[in-house]
Amino acid sequence: MEVEYRRETVRSFEEVCSRVKEVVEKNGFAVVAEIDSSGIMRSKGFNYPNLRIYDICNAKYAYTLLSVTNKFEVIIPCHLAIKKAGNKTEIAAGIPTPITSLLNLDDESKATVDEVIKTLKTIVDQLAETGDSKAY
């Protein structure tokens, strides 16, 4: 069962991060938080490659799923990670399937989760697009 969808690109870390808001909004989501995770770790004395976490949300999907069960409160918002990996950049989205598969969801809610997952993968793919990127 997948817990993430990850792509690698030759785009720089800075270039990918600069495109996040545009690509996320183009897909009907909004950036609700941006966390400089590597900066936080460095401030505590830990060396870690550039890592930025974006919390992203689609209000319609969130409302639909939260109306079914409050258990979605710990899943929402979705997480998008951008990480410098050598001379490349990794882009990953958390996939909620492992948690949602434990819930007794109706077919409509399952369809909503599937649509969220499809959109998250599209966002990652669009951020990675260069003609020289790969999924793994």
Side-chain angles (χ1 to χ4, degrees), residues 27 31 42 50 60 67 78 81 87 93 110 114 119 122 124 129 131 133:
N27 286 281
V31 174
R42 287 184 194 120
N50 286 346
K60 179 182 174 190
S67 296
C78 298
N87 61 350
K110 288 178 187 176
D114 289 345
T119 305
T122 298
V124 170
E129 283 176 357
S133 58

Side-chain angles (χ1 to χ4, degrees), residues 75-109:
I75 302 171
I76 296 171
C78 298
H79 305 292
L80 180 67
I82 314 296
K83 178 181 161 188
K84 183 168 177 41
N87 61 350
K88 300 195 177 188
T89 302
E90 294 177 356
I91 306 153
I95 302 298
T97 308
I99 296 173
T100 58
S101 66
L102 301 173
L103 303 174
N104 188 20
L105 297 177
D106 59 38
D107 289 342
E108 183 178 337
S109 298

Side-chain angles (χ1 to χ4, degrees), residues 5 23-30 56-58 61 78-80 91-96 111-127:
Y5 179 72
V23 171
V24 165
E25 288 178 356
K26 182 170 84 172
N27 286 281
F29 278 65
I56 63 175
C57 190
N58 173 296
Y61 292 148
C78 298
H79 305 292
L80 180 67
I91 306 153
I95 302 298
T112 300
V113 170
D114 289 345
E115 186 63 30
V116 168
I117 292 168
K118 178 181 172 190
T119 305
L120 291 172
K121 289 179 176 183
T122 298
I123 289 169
V124 170
D125 289 342
Q126 289 175 355
L127 286 169

Side-chain angles (χ1 to χ4, degrees), residues 3-59:
V3 298
E4 68 174 14
Y5 179 72
R6 185 176 294 264
R7 295 275 311 261
E8 187 178 80
T9 182
V10 296
R11 289 182 187 267
S12 72
F13 174 81
E14 293 79 13
E15 182 181 0
V16 174
C17 289
S18 74
R19 296 182 63 233
V20 167
K21 186 173 190 265
E22 171 195 347
V23 171
V24 165
E25 288 178 356
K26 182 170 84 172
N27 286 281
F29 278 65
V31 174
V32 295
E34 180 180 336
I35 304 160
D36 179 4
S37 299
S38 55
I40 293 168
M41 287 186 264
R42 287 184 194 120
S43 75
K44 304 297 182 190
F46 302 103
N47 189 19
Y48 197 79
N50 286 346
L51 173 65
R52 201 161 294 158
I53 307 293
Y54 294 88
D55 286 345
I56 63 175
C57 190
N58 173 296

